[in-house]
Amino acid sequence: MKWNLDKDKPICPQLRQLLSFLIASGVYTPHQQLPSVRQLAVEAGVNPNTVQKTFEQLNSKGIIYARRGAGWFVSEDINAAQLAVKEIIKEKTAEYFDEMHKMGLNDDEIRTYVKEWDNECTTEMQESD
Amino acid sequence: MKWNLDKDKPICPQLRQLLSFLIASGVYTPHQQLPSVRQLAVEAGVNPNTVQKTFEQLNSKGIIYARRGAGWFVSEDINAAQLAVKEIIKEKTAEYFDEMHKMGLNDDEIRTYVKEWDNECTTEMQESD
Amino acid sequence: MKWNLDKDKPICPQLRQLLSFLIASGVYTPHQQLPSVRQLAVEAGVNPNTVQKTFEQLNSKGIIYARRGAGWFVSEDINAAQLAVKEIIKEKTAEYFDEMHKMGLNDDEIRTYVKEWDNECTTEMQESD
Amino acid sequence: MKWNLDKDKPICPQLRQLLSFLIASGVYTPHQQLPSVRQLAVEAGVNPNTVQKTFEQLNSKGIIYARRGAGWFVSEDINAAQLAVKEIIKEKTAEYFDEMHKMGLNDDEIRTYVKEWDNECTTEMQESD
DNA sequence: GTGGTCTAGACCACT
DNA sequence: GTGGTCTAGACCACC
């Protein structure tokens, strides 16, 4: 498993969203064991504490559960994961529209921009924060 | 002037982007004086230090300039501001596509989702967890 | 035998306390053989190592003893078990009072609460967050 | 402020419950600033990370909220805190009854034991886990 | 100064 | 081996 994480952005949300997606899309199935905290930490190149925190957040959403000494497992009900993914998509889209509005684009302009995105995408750009 | 700022997100970038847009779109014209640091801080309900920092960042991009003892003014050339706005739009769109890809949506699915966004937005947005 | 164990809490103490009670109350009598480690592990749905550890702890308290190749047996003197049960009751009650004190309840309020517990228990227990 | 924490038990829940109670009982009032993460860590003799984790848990329950760079504040609505306290009391009482049941005491015996607790309390006892 | 995040490493109990 | 918890200390952005 390749864990493409952007080290310049908070890792927890990235891992959380990635795992939510993997569970929601059936890559991990109910009651299947997830990689251990330590193993995933090594694979993803992050600290075990970060993975632990991510797992606990997913646990509090009912997406995964832990058995002490045994490991982390996918919850029986993957609706929680699918709901989480839908919410992520919605939130990010709402946020995107909001930011575009602030930049003076109305909904139709946004849609046109998105529709033609491929062309512009070819041009790489950089910007410091 | 109403400064719609999301207090849960970093203020500096929000202010920076908002002012860039206001200048790029001609709300503030070249050589026009901007609100004072104190005044803007009060109006926007943020810390004066934050406003000061924002102004300095815009200054370093050539979007505004300072006259000692007088205040901050819009640069003669608004191209810098317009360029900044374009970059913001590009960057945020690229980021949005990237995040949607991670959630399993391909470009066409993203466009369809964006196209139909209004409907979902009016019917079931503002869904708290 | 039904071993009601809460899988979300440490197994060892639960098993230890449960066996202490069963011996103290005469369900298991002196010199009677206890279920084998393997059998109890299967019945209770826990790891054999956990059962083994529990037996050794009870052994160190003089509540049970081992005969090599034969299994575990109840000690002749069940006072050790009865003492252990009393201590568990005392300890847990002291802890309960202490925690209630921290939540602002004085002794009388605790007693009133405990006195009326049944009512609340039947009406609104099992309230998930 | 004296933070009586039992270092032999998990600190996070202790802090969480203590702060919930202090807010529910009005010691801390809505929008009042709590001690900073670092300050509370020093006062309570624990690690700042532990305090941070506690605050985030209270935040996720809507009991407190954070303003970046400013500090942690009590939520406007203290119902969340009062609800949390009630749940703590309920949970601990249910757990206490459950454990007493396992030790062979029925509800009436528990109530009698609790009623006469004061007398027994005078005798100190020790027990290793 | 503040919160937010992460790394590094330790110890414990349970499987 | 596993998760769960905590300590220590660092860096960042923001106020």
Side-chain angles (χ1 to χ4, degrees):
Chain A
M1 172 65 71
K2 185 70 170 52
W3 307 91
N4 281 314
L5 298 179
D6 184 345
K7 290 305 193 68
D8 292 333
K9 283 186 279 190
I11 297 169
C12 263
Q14 291 184 70
L15 259 186
R16 199 175 57 226
Q17 292 165 15
L18 190 48
L19 287 168
S20 297
F21 170 64
L22 291 175
I23 293 169
S25 61
V27 174
Y28 288 110
T29 55
H31 301 297
Q32 181 178 354
Q33 184 168 5
L34 295 164
S36 78
V37 171
R38 291 164 173 82
Q39 183 187 344
L40 205 168
V42 171
E43 286 182 8
V46 300
N47 189 281
N49 278 329
T50 307
V51 177
Q52 177 75 17
K53 190 177 176 184
T54 301
F55 279 1
E56 282 168 1
Q57 290 172 348
L58 290 171
N59 175 51
S60 76
K61 287 194 170 189
I63 296 174
I64 64 177
Y65 65 94
R67 274 172 40 201
R68 309 233 338 186
W72 288 93
F73 301 83
V74 177
S75 290
E76 180 156 69
D77 181 13
I78 65 167
N79 281 335
Q82 292 174 338
L83 179 63
V85 168
K86 283 182 188 169
E87 281 182 358
I88 292 165
I89 292 175
K90 250 189 224 173
E91 274 175 21
K92 288 189 186 293
T93 303
E95 194 180 336
Y96 175 63
F97 268 73
D98 193 41
E99 283 167 342
M100 291 301 103
H101 289 158
K102 284 181 182 167
M103 289 300 106
L105 274 60
N106 64 34
D107 285 2
D108 283 336
E109 287 167 337
I110 297 171
R111 289 195 194 93
T112 303
Y113 194 81
V114 166
K115 198 174 177 183
E116 299 171 352
W117 172 246
D118 250 6
N119 311 325
E120 308 201 25
C121 189
T122 55
T123 317
E124 291 287 318
M125 81 221 83
Q126 279 204 348
E127 189 190 26
S128 66
D129 187 23
Chain B
M1 171 66 71
K2 184 71 168 52
W3 307 91
N4 280 315
L5 298 178
D6 185 344
K7 289 301 196 68
D8 292 334
K9 285 185 279 190
I11 304 294
C12 258
Q14 291 186 70
L15 260 186
R16 197 175 62 224
Q17 291 166 16
L18 192 48
L19 287 168
S20 296
F21 168 65
L22 292 175
I23 292 168
S25 62
V27 174
Y28 289 110
T29 55
H31 303 298
Q32 180 179 351
Q33 183 168 8
L34 294 164
S36 75
V37 171
R38 290 178 191 171
Q39 183 189 344
L40 205 168
V42 171
E43 286 180 6
V46 300
N47 192 292
N49 286 331
T50 308
V51 177
Q52 177 69 25
K53 194 175 178 183
T54 301
F55 280 177
E56 285 165 359
Q57 291 174 346
L58 290 170
N59 176 52
S60 75
K61 287 194 171 189
I63 296 173
I64 65 176
Y65 64 94
R67 275 171 44 200
R68 290 201 40 149
W72 292 90
F73 299 83
V74 177
S75 293
E76 173 151 335
D77 181 11
I78 65 167
N79 279 336
Q82 292 175 337
L83 179 62
V85 168
K86 283 181 187 171
E87 280 181 355
I88 292 166
I89 291 174
K90 267 190 200 172
E91 195 183 56
K92 290 190 184 295
T93 303
E95 195 180 336
Y96 175 63
F97 268 74
D98 192 42
E99 283 167 342
M100 290 301 103
H101 290 159
K102 285 180 182 167
M103 290 299 106
L105 273 62
N106 62 34
D107 284 1
D108 283 336
E109 286 167 337
I110 297 171
R111 290 197 193 91
T112 302
Y113 193 82
V114 165
K115 197 175 177 183
E116 298 172 352
W117 172 247
D118 237 17
N119 309 325
E120 304 201 29
C121 184
T122 53
T123 52
E124 50 177 355
M125 227 181 96
Q126 200 69 7
E127 187 174 282
S128 68
D129 187 20
Chain C
M1 171 64 71
K2 184 71 169 52
W3 306 92
N4 280 316
L5 297 179
D6 185 344
K7 290 300 196 69
D8 292 333
K9 284 187 279 191
I11 304 294
C12 257
Q14 291 185 70
L15 259 187
R16 198 175 62 226
Q17 291 165 17
L18 191 48
L19 287 169
S20 296
F21 168 64
L22 292 175
I23 293 169
S25 62
V27 173
Y28 289 110
T29 56
H31 301 298
Q32 181 179 352
Q33 184 169 8
L34 293 164
S36 75
V37 170
R38 289 178 193 173
Q39 183 188 344
L40 205 167
V42 171
E43 285 180 7
V46 300
N47 191 293
N49 287 330
T50 308
V51 177
Q52 178 69 23
K53 195 174 177 184
T54 301
F55 281 177
E56 285 166 0
Q57 290 174 348
L58 290 170
N59 176 50
S60 73
K61 286 194 171 189
I63 295 174
I64 64 177
Y65 64 94
R67 274 171 45 200
R68 292 202 37 150
W72 292 91
F73 298 82
V74 177
S75 293
E76 171 150 334
D77 181 12
I78 66 166
N79 279 336
Q82 292 174 338
L83 179 62
V85 168
K86 283 183 188 170
E87 280 181 356
I88 291 165
I89 292 174
K90 265 191 202 171
E91 196 184 54
K92 288 189 185 296
T93 303
E95 195 180 335
Y96 175 63
F97 267 74
D98 192 40
E99 283 168 342
M100 291 300 103
H101 290 159
K102 284 181 182 167
M103 289 300 106
L105 273 61
N106 63 33
D107 284 2
D108 283 337
E109 287 168 335
I110 298 171
R111 290 196 194 91
T112 303
Y113 194 81
V114 165
K115 198 175 177 183
E116 299 171 352
W117 173 247
D118 238 17
N119 308 325
E120 305 201 27
C121 185
T122 53
T123 52
E124 49 176 356
M125 226 182 96
Q126 200 69 7
E127 187 174 284
S128 68
D129 185 20
Chain D
M1 172 65 72
K2 184 72 168 54
W3 308 91
N4 281 315
L5 299 179
D6 184 346
K7 289 304 193 69
D8 292 332
K9 284 185 279 190
I11 297 170
C12 263
Q14 291 184 70
L15 259 187
R16 199 175 58 225
Q17 291 165 16
L18 191 47
L19 286 168
S20 296
F21 169 64
L22 292 175
I23 292 169
S25 62
V27 173
Y28 288 109
T29 55
H31 301 297
Q32 182 178 352
Q33 184 168 6
L34 296 164
S36 77
V37 170
R38 291 165 174 82
Q39 184 188 343
L40 205 167
V42 171
E43 286 181 8
V46 299
N47 189 282
N49 277 330
T50 308
V51 177
Q52 177 75 16
K53 190 178 177 184
T54 302
F55 279 0
E56 282 169 1
Q57 290 172 348
L58 290 171
N59 175 52
S60 75
K61 287 194 170 190
I63 295 174
I64 64 178
Y65 64 94
R67 273 170 41 200
R68 310 232 337 186
W72 288 93
F73 302 82
V74 176
S75 291
E76 180 156 67
D77 182 13
I78 65 167
N79 281 335
Q82 293 174 339
L83 180 63
V85 168
K86 283 182 188 170
E87 281 182 358
I88 292 166
I89 292 174
K90 251 189 223 174
E91 275 174 21
K92 288 189 185 294
T93 302
E95 195 181 335
Y96 175 62
F97 268 74
D98 193 42
E99 283 168 343
M100 291 300 104
H101 290 158
K102 285 180 182 168
M103 289 301 106
L105 273 61
N106 63 34
D107 285 0
D108 283 335
E109 287 168 336
I110 296 171
R111 290 197 194 91
T112 303
Y113 193 82
V114 165
K115 198 174 178 182
E116 298 170 352
W117 172 246
D118 251 6
N119 311 324
E120 308 202 25
C121 189
T122 54
T123 317
E124 291 287 319
M125 80 222 83
Q126 279 202 348
E127 189 190 25
S128 67
D129 188 24

